[in-house]
Amino acid sequence: ALRAHMRRTFLDRPEFTFDAVSRASKACGPLVTWVVAQVEFSDILERVAPLRAEVAQLEADAQESEERASALAATVLRLEAALAAYKAEYALLIAETERLRNEVGRVEGKVARSQRLLASLGGERGRWDAGRAAFGAQMATLVGDALLGAALLAYAGPYDQPRRAALVRRWGGHLSRAGIAVRAGLRLSEFLAPAEDRLAWLACGLPDDDLAAENAAMLARFNRYPLVVDPAGTATRFLQAQQQGLVVTSFLDAAFLKHVEAALRFGTAVLVTDAEHLDPVLNPVLNREVRRAGGRVLVRLGSTDVDVSPAFRLILATRDSGAPLAADLVSRVTLVNFTVTRASLQAQCLAHAMRHARPD
């Protein structure tokens, strides 16, 4: 209102100018200019004030925007850090998942193998139960079986197969009356030697029958040196194939004493043929008349004391099945009769036929 009054009263008048007023008063000319400037400045202030307010508002808005931008930037940084942490955790989870998947695969494989094993063991259980039952039956008759086997080894050597079978039946009857059980259908040839030994004997040329297997068991387990009755030479061929380095000699051999002395010293086996007429020089050996001197084990052989090796083996053999053997000789040896009988020939023929029909 003041500016409007000033304009209506003074500024709108044509004579209210610097030049006109200066002509009237030099001092009032500049005052006129100041008044005009103040009124115009007031107009300008009036027009600029909203702009200033707007600028202030814009500056405040800009400050607020900057603060919000800073807050948003901090939020973005926090979210980026969280995202990086989540990515790392996700990678760990993926690796753990892969490890668990592999572990599951391995466990499934183990479970499958375990199931197959259990299935196979289920079939084995029947065999084990049967084996346990068979073992129990064997234990129940072990004493009787062992007695029959020991009796066969000790007393049945001089006899052929039929007489041995008769003796075994007789001994079995005595055991039954004494209340000692014996396995039904017991084959002493299988009881006295495991299957691997019997197969090794067959590979060395031993006939495939019970008589030969029992004789081989006697030759493997003797306390007194054996005297083999071998009309067909079967035992001699078998022993030569079985025992590497077996020395074969006879009482008629000029080097007989040297062969026996070397066998005694070095622990080898010696087979003396035609032994039905025993040379007395072997009596100390057969009688095991050994003596110890200074840590040495000596035996008298002829006129010489000879060292005795624990591995020494002496086997006497004769081809004459009807030769009269002195009671003194029979009492000091283990007689083993390899005489072939009809029953043993039948058993050998049956074994050959079975091997031809069923090679497996």
Side-chain angles (χ1 to χ4, degrees), residues 1-47:
L2 181 60
R3 287 196 307 272
H5 175 72
M6 289 294 294
R7 285 185 181 282
R8 288 192 307 269
T9 304
F10 299 105
L11 297 183
D12 291 341
R13 296 172 60 182
E15 65 273 11
F16 193 78
T17 63
F18 175 77
D19 293 336
V21 175
S22 293
R23 284 194 299 270
S25 175
K26 296 287 186 184
C28 290
L31 183 60
V32 171
T33 303
W34 178 81
V35 171
V36 171
Q38 289 299 318
V39 173
E40 291 180 353
F41 181 70
S42 178
D43 290 338
I44 292 172
L45 284 178
E46 186 178 2
R47 293 194 301 271

Side-chain angles (χ1 to χ4, degrees), residues 183-199:
R183 191 192 319 171
L186 174 66
R187 294 186 62 181
L188 290 175
S189 59
E190 297 178 358
F191 179 77
L192 294 174
E196 55 270 19
D197 288 349
R198 298 197 304 273
L199 289 175

Side-chain angles (χ1 to χ4, degrees), residues 56-236:
Q57 183 63 37
L58 291 175
E59 288 178 350
D61 293 343
Q63 182 66 27
E64 183 181 356
S65 298
E66 287 180 358
E67 292 176 356
R68 292 174 59 193
S70 299
L72 291 175
T75 302
V76 168
L77 290 176
R78 187 173 66 254
L79 292 175
E80 287 179 349
L83 180 61
Y86 292 150
K87 285 182 178 180
E89 185 177 357
Y90 176 74
L92 291 176
L93 291 175
I94 291 297
E96 182 67 14
T97 302
E98 188 65 25
R99 187 188 67 79
L100 291 176
R101 185 179 293 111
N102 295 334
E103 184 67 21
V104 167
R106 287 194 295 271
V107 171
E108 288 177 349
K110 291 180 180 179
V111 169
R113 290 192 297 272
S114 299
Q115 290 176 345
R116 290 195 298 270
L117 179 60
L118 288 175
S120 61
L121 288 179
E124 283 291 306
R125 181 174 181 176
R127 189 179 67 83
W128 291 345
D129 290 340
R132 182 179 60 182
F135 180 73
Q138 291 177 5
M139 291 300 295
T141 61
L142 180 61
V143 174
D145 297 345
L147 284 173
L148 278 183
L152 181 77
L153 292 178
Y155 302 111
Y159 303 108
D160 56 17
Q161 189 64 27
R163 293 182 180 178
R164 289 186 186 182
L167 282 174
V168 170
R169 287 193 299 271
R170 186 175 179 181
W171 292 334
H174 287 299
L175 292 175
S176 297
R177 287 189 293 273
I180 300 175
V182 178
R183 191 192 319 171
L186 174 66
R187 294 186 62 181
L188 290 175
S189 59
E190 297 178 358
F191 179 77
L192 294 174
E196 55 270 19
D197 288 349
R198 298 197 304 273
L199 289 175
W201 295 342
L202 292 177
C204 292
L206 187 73
D208 191 4
D209 64 280
D210 289 341
L211 176 69
E214 292 169 1
N215 289 339
M218 294 176 189
L219 292 176
R221 299 177 178 85
F222 59 81
N223 291 324
R224 295 171 296 179
Y225 293 118
L227 171 57
V228 180
V229 179
D230 186 26
T234 303
T236 301

Side-chain angles (χ1 to χ4, degrees), residues 251-291:
F251 295 121
L252 301 178
D253 189 351
F256 167 74
L257 286 179
K258 292 183 179 180
H259 290 318
V260 176
E261 181 178 349
L264 283 167
R265 289 184 188 277
F266 302 112
T268 57
V270 59
L271 174 63
V272 181
T273 61
D274 302 325
E276 60 270 18
H277 303 293
L278 180 69
D279 191 330
V281 74
L282 283 183
N283 285 336
V285 178
L286 290 179
N287 298 336
R288 301 181 185 270
E289 297 174 358
V290 298
R291 57 187 180 86

